[in-house]
Amino acid sequence: MVDYKQFHRFDPMSALIEETVNTLFNKSFSFKNSEPYFLPNPESIFLENSWHIEELYQIKTELNNIKSKLNDYCLIQWNEHTRKRNKAGSVQWYIHQKIEPEFMTQAWCKFYEIVSSFPLIPQVAISEESFTSVHLCEAPGAFVTSLNHWLKSQVPTVNWDWIATSLNPYYEGNTTERMITDDRFIMHTLEHWNFGPYNTGNVMDLENLDFIIEDCKTRNNVCLVTADGSVDCSDDPGEQERIVAHLHFCETVTALSILSEGGSFLLKMFTVFEQTSVSLLYLLAACFDSIHMFKPATSKEGNSEVYVICLGFKGTVFVEPYLPVLREYFKSFSLKAMFRRQDIPDCFVNQVLACAQFFKNHQCQVILDNIKTFSNDKNIKDFNLLKLKQAVSERFIEAYELKKLESEDLGIVGRTKLSACNNITSVTKSPLESYSERQIKSSLDPRSRLLILLEELQNIETVDKNYSFQQFFNSPIKLWITMGKPYRRIQSSKFATIKILRTQNRIFEIMDTMNLSVDFPTKENVVKYLESKNLSEMPNIRFLQFQHTSEQNNYELIHKVHETLKNCVEGDDIILIGYSLLSQLNVGLLNLSARFFVSLIFQPDSKVGYVVILKYYISDSEKESFEKLIEIAETAKSKNVMVLSVFSMLDLCETDWIKKLININIWNIKWRAKSTAEAIEKNNKQEENFQ
C-alpha cells in the first residue's frame, strides 16, 4: 500500500491526492452566534409578503447557468460518467468488504460520516445510557442501521429505541415518484414504523404529525430526530429548493414538536437561495445552540445536497409559543414569508450568503470538471483517479474508526436476512432521454403522448405461461389487517415493476383528460371466453367477473368474494375474470380464498387477460378468518376508511406463487395497452366514417 503522506514531497500527484481528500472531507460551514438569535413575537410571523435577497438570487442564477449545460446529455450516459468520476465511488465497496455492515447504501455512509463528525447523540443520552431517536422520511432505513452500527461500535451499553416514518410502501395510494420503494428492512421491522392513523406515512399530513407526537409520549426522551426527505425535481431541476420547501418546513415542525431539551436535529436540505430557506435556517439557529451545514464526502459532489446539523435544542418551553402558528401552515404552505426581512439580523444573512457561495463553488467546479472529461475515451483508465478513490476509502475507514461488529446478531435484522430479499420491483433506470427531449415529449398533444406510452407497453417482452400451485395453503393463518385512507387509483404496487406501472398510470391520467374509457375485459370478450372453454353451462363452476379499472372499491370486492365462497359446496371451482393482482388487499384476499381449495391456477387469455382459477372447493375451515375480515370491512366503511391488507407483506412474500405475480401483472398491463390501442383505433375509424 502506498503511503501518500510519506512520498508527497517527491511525488506531486500524491500531494495533490492528499489535498483533494482533505477538501472532500471538509465541506462544512458553521454559523457563528456570538449572541443568541431571537425570534419575533408569534403574532408577527407569516404576515409579510415573500421577499428575496438579490445576492442570493445572483448565486442561484450562476449555479443554474452551469447546471443548464447538462440539459442535452442523456441521463444514463451522464450518470454513468459521473459515477466513474465520483471520488468517493469506492467507499461503499470498501466498507462492504472490510466491515460487512447490515445494510450498505450511500445513505448509510453519509449518516456514519455525520454522526462521527458531530456530537449528534447528546452526552446526557450517552451518560444515562438510554435514548430514543425518530427518523423522518427514513425509507429504506439506512440511517437507522448506520446509527445502530455506530452505537454498537462506540457506546455499546446504551439502550436505544427508535421510531421511523416514511411514505408507506404498502399504501398503494402513494405514487412511485414520491416513494423509496425498497422495503427489505421495513418489512422486517414494521413494529418500529409509524405510518399515521391512515397508513399513508405522509410526513406533510397534520394527522400524521399528531400520531407521531402521541407515539413519542410513550417513549423515552427523544434526543435525536433525522429528516432525510426529498422530492423528485427532475422535471424542474432549477427550482429544487422551491419544490422541497414545504417538506423541509413540515420535517422541522415535527422535530420541534417532539425533541427533548438538549436534543439534536439532522435535516437534509439543498440550496439556500430562497427566503423560505433563510427563514427556516434562522428558526433553527434560534431554537438550537448551534447549527452547521455539512456535505459528506460520500454525498455526490455534483448535486446540491447538504445536511443541516442542529445541536442543543432549547426545549419545548422555548418553542411552544410558536407551534400553534407553525401548525396552521403544516398542510398548506403559506405564500407569506415566515419572518419579516427586518426580523432576521444582517449578520445572519451575511453568513447565509457566505454558506451559499461556499457550497455553490464546490458544486460548479465538479460539474465543469465532469463536462470537461465527458468526451474523453471511456476505455482509458485514469490510474490517478483510482489512487484517489482508494485514498478516500482508506481515509473514511481510518477517520471514522469503522470496525466490523463482533456478531451479526448485533444488527437490527441481520445482513443475511436482508440480502436474501430480492426486491426486483424497486429496480429502475434513469430515463433514456435527455432533459430537453423529455420537455419536448411533455409538450405534445394528449393523443400523441398516449399513443407513445401505449406503444412503449406493447413493446415489453412477456411470456404466455400457466402457473399452478397445489395445496400450498396449509400454513397457519396470521392475519395482518390494516386500514387506511381511501384512494381512487393504484399508484404503486409491490407486484409490478415501477417503470411499467408508472407508464400505465400516465396512460390513465391522459385518458382522464381526454374523457376516454375502455372496459377490461369487455362483456363481448367474456362471452367469447366462456364459449371457447364450454364453461357457461357447467353447474360446478362459479364465475366472478371484475373490471380492470382505475377505480378501487375494496369493500365491495371483499363482500363479492365472500358471498361467492359462502355458496360453494365441495368440488366447486371459482373462475375470476378481470381480477386485479396489483394491490396488497387483492393478493391477500386471493391467498385467504385459496385456502378453501385444492389448487390455485393462473392462465393467460388473449380476450380477457389472466384468468384466476380456484380449483375444487374442499373446506370452510378458514371461515372464522373471513368473518373477521368482513367485520373489519364493515367498521372501515362506517369510518370512511378502507381495508388495505389481509396479510403482512413479509408473510405474502414467503409464498411461492407471489414471485410469479410480477410476470402475470406485466403480461396483464401489456394486454390492456394492446386492448386500449385497438379500442382507440376503432373509435377513430367510427368518427371518420361518421364525418
Side-chain angles (χ1 to χ4, degrees):
M1 184 181 299
V2 178
D3 186 345
Y4 302 110
K5 293 182 180 179
Q6 181 178 350
F7 295 109
H8 72 82
R9 292 184 181 178
F10 309 102
D11 182 1
M13 182 51 63
S14 294
L16 179 60
I17 287 175
E18 183 182 351
E19 180 184 349
T20 304
V21 172
N22 288 337
T23 300
L24 190 65
F25 281 87
N26 287 284
K27 291 182 180 178
S28 64
F29 185 96
S30 295
F31 285 80
K32 297 177 177 61
N33 55 340
S34 53
E35 295 182 1
Y37 295 117
F38 294 100
L39 295 178
N41 291 330
E43 295 80 11
S44 68
I45 67 177
F46 291 114
L47 293 180
E48 186 168 284
N49 290 333
S50 183
W51 44 265
H52 74 273
I53 296 171
E54 191 60 41
E55 295 90 336
L56 284 175
Y57 267 34
Q58 180 59 39
I59 299 173
K60 175 182 178 178
T61 301
E62 292 169 3
L63 175 60
N64 282 343
N65 286 341
I66 296 295
K67 290 165 68 174
S68 68
K69 296 178 183 292
L70 308 179
N71 287 351
D72 296 327
Y73 285 88
C74 169
L75 278 182
I76 287 182
Q77 293 176 356
W78 178 257
N79 288 344
E80 177 64 16
H81 173 64
T82 56
R83 184 190 65 79
K84 290 178 179 178
R85 298 287 304 173
N86 181 9
K87 302 180 185 72
S90 298
V91 171
Q92 286 188 55
W93 180 88
Y94 216 77
I95 295 174
H96 182 76
Q97 296 298 315
K98 288 183 173 291
I99 309 301
E100 296 184 349
E102 179 178 16
F103 192 23
M104 174 46 45
T105 69
Q106 185 184 30
W108 192 101
C109 298
K110 289 188 295 185
F111 183 84
Y112 209 92
E113 280 192 70
I114 297 168
V115 75
S116 300
S117 303
F118 297 88
L120 269 188
I121 314 303
Q123 188 57 47
V124 64
I126 296 174
S127 300
E128 295 178 357
E129 298 187 345
S130 179
F131 79 101
T132 298
S133 62
V134 177
H135 304 270
L136 310 175
C137 303
E138 173 57 18
F143 273 24
V144 172
T145 55
S146 184
L147 176 56
N148 178 69
H149 196 107
W150 187 88
L151 291 170
K152 293 295 192 294
S153 302
Q154 306 296 327
V155 283
T157 59
V158 169
N159 179 27
W160 167 58
D161 187 19
W162 60 275
I163 309 168
T165 188
S166 225
L167 285 172
N168 187 352
Y170 309 133
Y171 177 73
E172 285 104 358
N174 287 332
T175 64
T176 57
E177 288 88 351
R178 298 177 64 200
M179 281 196 305
I180 300 293
T181 54
D182 184 349
D183 65 331
R184 290 172 293 166
F185 179 74
I186 296 172
M187 73 165 62
H188 287 281
T189 56
L190 275 172
E191 67 277 8
H192 285 277
W193 291 80
N194 185 320
F195 294 124
Y198 300 115
N199 262 302
T200 64
N202 188 351
V203 75
M204 299 165 71
D205 284 346
L206 194 57
E207 59 264 27
N208 289 349
L209 166 64
D210 290 333
F211 212 65
I212 291 173
I213 291 173
E214 291 304 311
D215 194 353
C216 289
K217 288 178 181 178
T218 67
R219 316 269 179 155
N220 198 358
N221 287 345
V222 176
C223 290
L224 171 65
V225 175
T226 69
D228 197 35
S230 185
V231 177
D232 182 8
C233 304
S234 58
D235 289 336
D236 196 1
E239 293 301 324
Q240 183 179 38
E241 183 179 344
R242 177 182 56 79
I243 294 169
V244 299
H246 189 201
L247 172 62
H248 292 163
F249 174 79
C250 292
E251 290 173 321
T252 299
V253 174
T254 302
L256 298 180
S257 301
I258 60 179
L259 264 176
S260 299
E261 186 174 352
S264 305
F265 177 39
L266 174 65
L267 172 67
K268 177 162 75 176
M269 289 186 71
F270 298 95
T271 51
V272 288
F273 306 138
E274 308 288 343
Q275 64 84 12
T276 51
S277 299
V278 177
S279 294
L280 191 68
L281 286 175
Y282 186 66
L283 174 66
L284 293 171
C287 292
F288 290 83
D289 292 337
S290 65
I291 65 170
H292 315 265
M293 295 192 77
F294 178 62
K295 186 171 183 65
T298 47
S299 173
K300 292 179 182 177
E301 288 188 281
N303 66 27
S304 301
E305 176 184 77
V306 290
Y307 285 87
V308 186
I309 295 110
C310 309
L311 306 174
F313 180 53
K314 293 180 180 178
T316 306
V317 174
F318 179 85
V319 76
E320 197 167 36
Y322 298 89
L323 289 179
V325 66
L326 292 175
R327 286 171 59 91
E328 282 183 34
Y329 300 101
F330 198 89
K331 198 152 192 177
S332 57
F333 201 39
S334 175
L335 297 178
K336 302 285 187 179
M338 186 189 306
F339 300 121
R340 296 173 298 184
R341 171 62 185 86
Q342 67 198 57
D343 290 329
I344 303 178
D346 289 341
C347 62
F348 183 81
V349 172
N350 290 335
Q351 290 186 78
V352 175
L353 280 167
C355 178
Q357 188 70 52
F358 174 78
F359 287 108
K360 170 259 180 186
N361 287 346
H362 280 293
Q363 184 179 358
C364 286
Q365 186 60 56
V366 171
I367 293 173
L368 291 173
D369 287 345
N370 285 333
I371 291 174
K372 184 178 179 181
T373 56
F374 184 79
S375 58
N376 290 352
D377 188 347
K378 305 298 188 296
N379 296 319
I380 296 177
K381 284 190 176 180
D382 187 338
F383 289 102
N384 290 324
L385 181 59
L386 294 177
K387 288 180 180 179
L388 175 58
K389 288 184 176 183
Q390 182 180 340
V392 171
S393 301
E394 291 174 355
R395 172 72 68 86
F396 194 103
I397 299 284
E398 177 186 349
Y400 303 131
E401 300 178 353
L402 258 175
K403 50 192 175 185
K404 187 177 178 180
L405 296 182
E406 295 178 359
S407 166
E408 186 175 329
D409 293 339
L410 294 176
I412 297 173
V413 174
R415 65 195 301 266
T416 301
K417 277 186 180 179
L418 292 178
S419 299
C421 295
N422 185 18
N423 191 11
I424 63 172
T425 63
S426 68
V427 177
T428 184
K429 293 182 178 179
S430 302
L432 290 172
E433 307 99 338
S434 68
Y435 172 77
S436 297
E437 288 170 333
R438 283 185 286 127
Q439 290 297 103
I440 292 172
K441 185 181 287 188
S442 66
S443 66
L444 295 173
D445 64 275
R447 186 178 181 278
S448 298
R449 281 186 285 129
L450 178 61
L451 293 176
I452 290 172
L453 293 172
L454 288 170
E455 185 178 0
E456 285 181 11
L457 290 182
Q458 291 180 77
N459 289 334
I460 300 168
E461 291 186 10
T462 56
V463 178
D464 290 3
K465 188 174 181 179
N466 288 5
Y467 298 100
S468 181
F469 302 92
Q470 308 292 324
Q471 298 218 8
F472 186 76
F473 305 95
N474 296 325
S475 57
I477 286 281
K478 291 187 296 181
L479 293 181
W480 180 286
I481 301 175
T482 61
M483 295 183 289
K485 192 174 186 178
Y487 58 86
R488 173 176 173 245
R489 175 174 294 156
I490 293 177
Q491 298 285 351
S492 58
S493 171
K494 304 308 296 182
F495 313 112
T497 54
I498 291 173
K499 185 176 180 181
I500 290 173
L501 182 63
R502 190 176 290 175
T503 302
Q504 176 182 261
N505 283 335
R506 286 174 179 164
I507 289 171
F508 282 142
E509 290 166 7
I510 295 173
M511 289 176 68
D512 284 347
T513 63
M514 298 174 66
N515 292 319
L516 286 176
S517 63
V518 179
D519 291 333
F520 305 113
T522 63
K523 293 180 180 179
E524 178 186 4
N525 282 341
V526 172
V527 171
K528 288 181 180 179
Y529 168 77
L530 297 177
E531 290 175 348
S532 68
K533 303 295 183 181
N534 297 317
L535 299 172
S536 55
E537 302 301 325
M538 299 182 71
N540 65 326
I541 295 180
R542 299 177 182 274
F543 297 96
L544 271 177
Q545 184 182 345
F546 304 87
Q547 283 290 311
H548 278 293
T549 68
S550 61
E551 306 294 329
Q552 292 302 117
N553 192 325
N554 290 359
Y555 177 81
E556 286 187 7
L557 171 70
I558 293 168
H559 274 269
K560 192 171 184 178
V561 173
H562 180 242
E563 288 300 316
T564 304
L565 284 173
K566 278 201 313 185
N567 295 320
C568 281
V569 296
E570 185 173 351
D572 279 359
D573 299 341
I574 297 181
I575 296 180
L576 295 89
I577 300 173
Y579 187 80
S580 173
L581 292 164
L582 285 172
S583 77
Q584 195 179 176
L585 174 74
N586 284 39
V587 173
L589 191 61
L590 182 60
N591 186 318
L592 182 60
S593 302
R595 294 168 185 270
F596 294 76
F597 295 82
V598 169
S599 61
L600 171 65
I601 302 168
F602 300 93
Q603 292 180 347
D605 185 273
S606 60
K607 293 184 177 62
V608 295
Y610 254 97
V611 175
V612 181
I613 302 172
L614 297 168
K615 191 72 176 174
Y616 204 91
Y617 185 88
I618 54 172
S619 170
D620 60 356
S621 59
E622 307 298 349
K623 183 179 178 181
E624 289 184 6
S625 297
F626 228 117
E627 293 298 334
K628 181 179 180 181
L629 175 60
I630 291 294
E631 182 181 334
I632 293 174
E634 293 283 356
T635 302
K637 185 180 181 182
S638 67
K639 294 182 177 180
N640 198 29
V641 294
M642 66 193 293
V643 176
L644 299 176
S645 68
V646 179
F647 297 100
S648 75
M649 185 57 65
L650 183 60
D651 287 339
L652 284 180
C653 288
E654 288 178 346
T655 60
D656 285 345
W657 60 282
I658 211 74
K659 297 174 184 177
K660 312 298 182 186
L661 287 190
I662 293 175
N663 296 332
I664 292 170
N665 281 325
I666 291 174
W667 191 97
N668 263 334
I669 289 172
K670 179 179 180 178
W671 168 76
R672 285 199 290 275
K674 183 174 182 293
S675 301
T676 301
E678 290 172 350
I680 291 174
E681 185 178 354
K682 182 179 179 181
N683 183 61
N684 289 340
K685 287 182 177 179
Q686 289 175 345
E687 289 181 354
E688 290 173 1
N689 293 334
F690 178 77
Q691 293 173 351

